[in-house]
Every structure is written in C-alpha cells, then in structure tokens.
Amino acid sequence: MAVRMPLCSALNLFMLTPIAANSSRRTMPVQLARSATLRASFGTVRQTNLNRRLVAAKLQYSRTVCMAANINSVQPMEASGLLEAGYTYLDVRSEGEFQAGHVEGAINIPWMFMTPTGMDPNPDFLAQVAKEIPNKDSQVVLGCKSGKRSMMASCAMAEQGYSEIINMEGGFDMWQGTGLPSVK
C-alpha cells in the first residue's frame, strides 16, 4: 500500500535526504585514486557535483510543487512597493550572504547553509519561521540570491498555512541590479 503525503512534504523529505560522502561507485582509474591528495580532491569535486545535481533536481521538483501551491512571484520593483505597504521581507540566503548586503529591515532565516561540499538544507527552517513570523496571515515577501531558494521556502511555508506569501523573482542580485537600496 502506497503512503501518500502532500507534495511539499515530499519536497521537504527530499531536501533532508543526506548524500553519502563516499560512494562505492568508482568513476576514475584505481591507479589515479591511490594518491591521497587526488582522492581527497576528487571526493570533494564529486560531492560538489552530486550536490549541484541534487539542488537542480530539487529546484525542478519545487517549481512543479509551487505551481500547484499557487505561489505568486513579483519583480524587485514590485516587491519594494509591497515592503513600503507593510510587507515583511524574509531573506532566505545564508548568513554570510546576508551580512554582505540585504534589504533594509529584512529578517534572515537561511533555507540552506553553505558548506565546503555545497549547500545543505536548514532542518529548522520552518520552526525558525514560526518563531519569527508566528501569524500565518502575515504578508511576507521572500527573497534569496536569485529567486530559487526563496521559491522552495515559499512552497514549504505555504504548506504550513502561510497564506500571504510572495516570492521575489531574480532575488537580491536583481534587487541590486535595479538600483534599489540595501544595507550591510
């Protein structure tokens, strides 16, 4: 008997599925892998490539899921107008990205963390959101670097009952590119 779960729950489960750091599958000749340096660097490159493919698969999956959840997206100029009208800006970039520059008044809750092997999901994201934004009717604009992580975070928040969520397309890169103000 198949177990059924909401699509966003499946996405969250997929997001939290660990990737094995060492795989038994070899993709290079054994004689090259004998060098500890080559082995270590190959493992890092291979892990990074696995993470990139996994993130790409998650993104494609999240696009499908979020279309079903009816998440609205706006350009940075529209998002700026919404913030002036009282919306809260939730920045889901990593803490380092946030510290390098962000929208004034933004709340930072990372959707994913940067690690030496790539991006790893924040397992406490929804709990942190519930703590910072307890009212599920709050009007929230979500943004990240390019709009991809914020779309995944929007979907997860919508599943938790947040009803006034808007994703900012193009993320902080486009925000800065349009000349909108930011702070450090």
Side-chain angles (χ1 to χ4, degrees), residues 152-167:
M152 291 186 281
S154 297
C155 179
M157 287 178 65
E159 184 187 59
Q160 293 299 309
Y162 287 88
S163 58
E164 296 290 325
I165 298 171
I166 297 179
N167 178 56

Side-chain angles (χ1 to χ4, degrees), residues 19 47-56 117-120:
I19 301 173
Q47 182 67 34
T48 301
N49 288 338
L50 282 172
N51 283 345
R52 284 186 186 136
R53 283 185 289 190
L54 182 59
V55 167
T117 58
M119 301 292 280
D120 289 335

Side-chain angles (χ1 to χ4, degrees), residues 7-183:
L7 289 176
C8 285
S9 290
L11 173 64
N12 289 337
L13 179 64
F14 187 58
M15 291 289 302
L16 299 175
T17 304
I19 301 173
N22 299 318
S23 174
S24 60
R25 197 174 105 206
R26 292 200 183 257
T27 57
M28 64 185 287
V30 173
Q31 60 269 32
L32 288 177
R34 287 190 178 142
S35 160
T37 305
L38 283 175
R39 248 193 332 251
S41 66
F42 176 70
T44 301
V45 168
R46 186 158 175 249
Q47 182 67 34
T48 301
N49 288 338
L50 282 172
N51 283 345
R52 284 186 186 136
R53 283 185 289 190
L54 182 59
V55 167
K58 289 176 200 171
L59 176 60
Q60 182 61 39
Y61 184 76
S62 72
R63 284 182 182 142
T64 304
V65 170
C66 289
M67 284 192 305
N70 239 356
I71 304 296
N72 293 321
S73 292
V74 297
Q75 297 290 317
M77 291 299 287
E78 294 173 85
S80 176
L82 292 172
L83 296 176
E84 289 174 10
Y87 275 69
T88 300
Y89 188 87
L90 177 58
D91 192 323
V92 299
R93 295 178 300 153
S94 68
E95 292 171 358
E97 290 172 301
F98 183 79
Q99 290 172 357
H102 57 271
V103 174
E104 187 172 0
I107 298 170
N108 180 229
I109 303 174
W111 173 250
M112 301 183 93
F113 297 113
M114 286 195 181
T115 66
T117 58
M119 301 292 280
D120 289 335
N122 176 0
D124 299 323
F125 176 78
L126 291 171
Q128 292 171 343
V129 168
K131 183 178 177 184
E132 290 290 327
I133 308 171
N135 182 358
K136 294 191 178 189
D137 293 325
S138 296
Q139 297 174 318
V140 183
V141 174
L142 282 89
C144 61
K145 181 175 173 28
S146 66
K148 296 171 186 170
R149 285 176 277 175
S150 59
M151 182 55 88
M152 291 186 281
S154 297
C155 179
M157 287 178 65
E159 184 187 59
Q160 293 299 309
Y162 287 88
S163 58
E164 296 290 325
I165 298 171
I166 297 179
N167 178 56
M168 185 175 73
E169 290 179 353
F172 190 66
D173 285 350
M174 190 179 283
W175 178 277
Q176 285 185 309
T178 57
L180 292 166
S182 61
V183 296

